[in-house]
Amino acid sequence: MTATLNDVVNKKPAEQSAELQAATELVRLAKEQGLSLTGPDGLLKQLTKTVLETALNEELTEHLGYEKHDSTGVGAGPCTPRSMRPVCPSGVM
């Protein structure tokens, strides 16, 4: 049992993951700036919004095959601008 206790006491602390380091730094900066961690304008709300928007934009890019607002997509879908084609196929819009 002594060997087990010595192993625990002498064990080096595990390195923090990149995610944990980033979260720790965000909380530290928020506190320095007087930003609330929760609430309508808090860090958690802002971070959640940013992560969700980024994830949704990445999914859209992957699905479409090009970045949002990229000229690659102009005229590529079933509904093109009216100057190029007068109407969309029925049921698309």
Side-chain angles (χ1 to χ4, degrees):
M1 184 157 175
T2 305
T4 305
L5 289 176
N6 285 336
D7 290 341
V8 171
V9 172
N10 294 328
K11 186 177 179 181
K12 292 181 181 176
E15 290 187 28
Q16 290 184 342
S17 67
E19 293 85 1
L20 183 57
Q21 290 175 357
T24 302
E25 182 66 10
L26 282 171
V27 170
R28 185 187 67 76
L29 289 171
K31 286 181 179 179
E32 277 182 11
Q33 297 172 6
L35 181 66
S36 173
L37 297 181
T38 58
D41 296 322
L43 175 66
L44 183 58
K45 181 176 180 179
Q46 292 177 19
L47 185 59
T48 301
K49 179 181 183 283
T50 302
V51 169
L52 288 175
E53 286 177 350
T54 303
L56 290 172
N57 283 332
E58 288 299 317
E59 282 189 28
L60 184 62
T61 298
E62 185 178 324
H63 176 73
L64 295 175
Y66 55 88
E67 294 284 328
K68 185 177 180 180
H69 305 297
D70 190 352
S71 63
T72 304
V74 175
C79 293
T80 56
R82 294 207 180 267
S83 63
M84 299 175 79
R85 194 171 82 196
V87 292
C88 291
S90 63
V92 173
M93 287 183 82

